[in-house]
Amino acid sequence: LCERAEAVGARLVQHLQGIKASYPALVGDIRNLGAMIALELVENGDINQPNATLTKAICAKAGEKGLLLLSCGTRGNVIRFLPPLTIEMEVLDEGAAILASLFDELANG
């Protein structure tokens, strides 16, 4: 189970790092322990400027596209991921692609 958690987590973190590379001013931090992952959204690349508005918009729009995301954090600017360890990697990739498309759609709005 630990090996699978590490593999799932590494795959999703790789996708999230791609998003961070495309939108460095919006992604403050990516934290993970195995498949438990947090994506922190900020303004101007500053972790002291939480972007709860974008977080809420991404979570809402994701639901419309069939991707269930949970926001969390005391400042409401973190998206939490905890995929099942039985997830097929293709399904994980599909969810990450939806998330990336949401950044493309919402990042400038």
Side-chain angles (χ1 to χ4, degrees):
L1 289 176
C2 288
E3 287 178 18
R4 180 64 182 171
E6 289 294 327
V8 168
R11 181 78 158 254
L12 185 50
V13 166
Q14 181 179 21
H15 286 294
L16 298 177
Q17 288 172 338
I19 292 171
K20 183 175 182 172
S22 296
Y23 298 97
L26 298 177
V27 178
D29 194 18
I30 301 167
R31 300 181 292 276
N32 80 300
L33 179 61
M36 294 186 296
I37 302 166
L39 177 69
E40 182 178 10
L41 303 183
V42 299
E43 295 181 28
N44 306 312
D46 183 356
I47 61 169
N48 294 311
Q49 294 182 33
N51 197 335
T53 302
L54 179 60
T55 304
K56 186 176 181 177
I58 286 175
C59 289
K61 197 72 159 175
E64 294 174 14
K65 296 185 182 243
L67 179 63
L68 180 62
L69 296 177
L70 298 172
S71 63
C72 65
T74 57
R75 302 185 297 177
N77 69 316
V78 176
I79 300 174
R80 179 178 61 180
F81 303 91
L82 186 55
L85 299 183
T86 56
I87 193 168
E88 295 175 5
M89 290 298 191
E90 294 79 18
V91 174
L92 186 71
D93 295 341
E94 180 182 352
I98 292 170
L99 180 63
S101 74
L102 294 171
F103 272 85
D104 294 340
E105 182 179 338
L106 299 170
N108 299 319

